[in-house]
Amino acid sequence: MANSYFTSAFIKPVIQTWLASMECAKDSSSPNRMYISEPLGKKDENGKDLYRMGIIQFYDKSIHQKEAGEFYGDIMELMIYDDFPEVDSIAKYLANHICEPVFYLHFEMYDFEFVMEQLSDFFRFYYDVHKSNGIEGQTYKKDIHRILICCTAGLTSGYFAAMMQEKIDKQLPDYDIEVQSCNVNFLSDYIDTSDLVLITPQISYLEKELKEKYGNKIQAMDRVDFATFNVDHVLETIWNA
């Protein structure tokens, strides 16, 4: 696989041009952060207008970190908040309040097409098109007992796996189904004992390579399902396949 990691210096002007055509675009004092906001037509208890707030955040990484086994492409973080109050400083408000995003996704900027796919779903969800296409492939066996969720570092996937396990334990208490998570670098240690491996959007560009190596037990998770922690829809797709 040829590496073609992009820096935020390349991607940011593209997105800024995109946002310039939107009336909802907001300026940011930080060159690494962009905001968009849309009024929801309602107010909070203090009479302030409420907005849907979208945030695009960049984290610049050094290419030299590749040798240390760390991220070596720049990172993009996408967040959407509903019922966000009108404030003077969005960054200051977020720093001083606990806010749960309705959409959250972070990923290493692998290539231009990959970045645009993530952004497309970000804007699709932002503008209230919440329809999800489900998990790609849908070639699952009915005798699934071990599900593995695989991503870059295993942190976000670990949270999603815990949510999925809790849902399964409540809905299917009589079934022996275990959900685990792992870093993609350790997939070989789990693959033989896993019936289904869901790869997260952060590493969806590896889908073809991993399928060639491990077969159809590798499936790419829908970006919107993962970004919105839609465990119910993921499970529904698995069981109805």
Side-chain angles (χ1 to χ4, degrees):
M1 181 186 65
N3 292 331
S4 54
Y5 292 86
F6 277 66
T7 65
S8 57
F10 176 87
I11 296 293
K12 278 189 287 188
V14 176
I15 300 175
Q16 286 169 335
T17 302
W18 192 355
L19 292 178
S21 65
M22 299 181 182
E23 293 183 358
C24 65
K26 292 178 66 69
D27 293 329
S28 169
S29 58
S30 169
N32 287 330
R33 186 182 300 119
M34 302 175 191
Y35 299 125
I36 56 175
S37 64
E38 192 80 11
L40 296 176
K42 55 183 179 180
K43 299 180 182 293
D44 65 9
E45 64 274 9
N46 297 316
K48 290 185 177 182
D49 291 328
L50 293 174
Y51 294 82
R52 167 165 291 178
M53 183 65 62
I55 301 175
I56 303 172
Q57 173 78 48
F58 297 95
Y59 297 95
D60 298 330
K61 299 292 181 178
S62 169
I63 194 72
H64 301 296
Q65 288 182 310
K66 175 181 178 181
E67 297 178 358
E70 301 175 8
F71 285 129
Y72 57 99
D74 288 350
I75 307 299
M76 182 183 293
E77 188 176 40
L78 303 174
M79 296 161 284
I80 298 174
Y81 297 89
D82 272 344
D83 295 336
F84 201 93
E86 185 177 11
V87 294
D88 294 330
S89 171
I90 297 170
K92 185 176 180 180
Y93 183 84
L94 288 172
N96 292 283
H97 296 80
I98 298 175
C99 301
E100 292 291 336
V102 294
F103 182 107
Y104 178 80
L105 189 64
H106 73 280
F107 54 91
E108 193 172 10
M109 292 190 286
Y110 173 67
D111 62 23
F112 184 75
E113 181 180 1
F114 176 71
V115 172
M116 290 300 105
E117 287 175 353
Q118 317 303 313
L119 282 168
S120 176
D121 278 333
F122 168 79
F123 282 106
R124 178 162 63 94
F125 185 88
Y126 181 86
Y127 286 107
D128 254 335
V129 185
H130 291 192
K131 181 180 178 182
S132 172
N133 294 323
I135 305 170
E136 300 173 15
Q138 299 192 18
T139 57
Y140 312 119
K141 298 178 293 184
K142 294 298 181 181
D143 56 343
I144 294 174
H145 297 288
R146 299 293 178 269
I147 300 173
L148 182 67
I149 301 178
C150 188
C151 75
T152 47
L155 299 177
T156 310
S157 62
Y159 181 57
F160 198 97
M163 291 180 63
M164 186 179 289
Q165 186 70 67
E166 182 180 3
K167 182 69 67 171
I168 289 173
D169 291 343
K170 289 182 178 179
Q171 292 185 348
L172 303 167
D174 297 329
Y175 287 76
D176 177 25
I177 301 173
E178 181 181 1
V179 186
Q180 294 181 306
S181 65
C182 80
N183 181 313
V184 67
N185 295 322
F186 299 102
L187 178 56
S188 59
D189 296 336
Y190 293 84
I191 193 69
D192 290 339
T193 56
S194 300
D195 300 313
L196 172 66
V197 178
L198 301 177
I199 61 173
T200 65
Q202 294 96 319
I203 57 170
S204 59
Y205 60 88
L206 293 174
E207 180 183 8
K208 181 178 179 182
E209 177 183 323
L210 294 176
K211 277 190 172 182
E212 289 175 352
K213 188 173 183 178
Y214 298 119
N216 281 335
K217 68 168 60 178
I218 303 291
Q219 299 294 334
M221 188 180 296
D222 179 77
R223 284 186 292 272
V224 174
D225 280 349
F226 184 76
T228 60
F229 295 99
N230 194 348
V231 172
D232 287 328
H233 190 263
V234 173
L235 290 174
E236 180 183 350
T237 306
I238 294 173
W239 308 143
N240 293 335

